[in-house]
């Protein structure tokens, strides 16, 4: 299968600037595709969420915890 399965989650951190909350690896992979010229028109699907710094950190921690312990699911 090709293509993006899940959108990344981003949040507005300043006027016109966004930060990735969930999906760092997908974001990096997409940047690599664009910068390498393999998919210069690639668009990444995103969900924009309103959250505080603390909420973003907790969501990111939770995502990383699931990656570290896949058998816990």
């Amino acid at each position: 299968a090709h293509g993006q399965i899940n959108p990344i989650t981003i949040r507005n951190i300043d006027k016109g600037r966004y930060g990735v909350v969930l999906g760092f690896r997908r974001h990096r992979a997409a940047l690599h595709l664009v910068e390498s010229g393999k998919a210069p028109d690639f668009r990444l699907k995103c969900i924009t969420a309103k959250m505080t710094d603390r909420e973003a950190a907790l969501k990111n921690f939770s995502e990383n915890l699931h990656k570290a312990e896949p058998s816990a699911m």
Side-chain angles (χ1 to χ4, degrees):
H2 298 283
Q4 182 183 352
I5 297 171
N6 294 319
I8 66 170
T9 301
I10 60 172
R11 71 184 184 110
N12 192 339
I13 52 175
D14 199 12
K15 291 182 180 178
R17 292 185 54 218
Y18 293 85
V20 178
V21 177
L22 301 171
F24 288 100
R25 291 178 185 181
R26 286 173 278 158
H27 181 254
R28 266 187 289 171
L31 283 177
H32 176 72
L33 287 173
V34 172
E35 291 171 354
S36 69
K38 293 179 181 177
D41 296 327
F42 187 80
R43 298 283 188 246
L44 197 57
K45 295 175 186 169
C46 302
I47 295 172
T48 305
K50 258 188 170 179
M51 61 182 73
T52 64
D53 290 345
R54 179 177 168 78
E55 291 169 329
L58 287 172
K59 286 205 177 277
N60 185 273
F61 177 76
S62 175
E63 180 184 47
N64 288 334
L65 187 63
H66 287 290
K67 288 179 186 169
E69 299 180 27
S71 60
M73 288 185 191

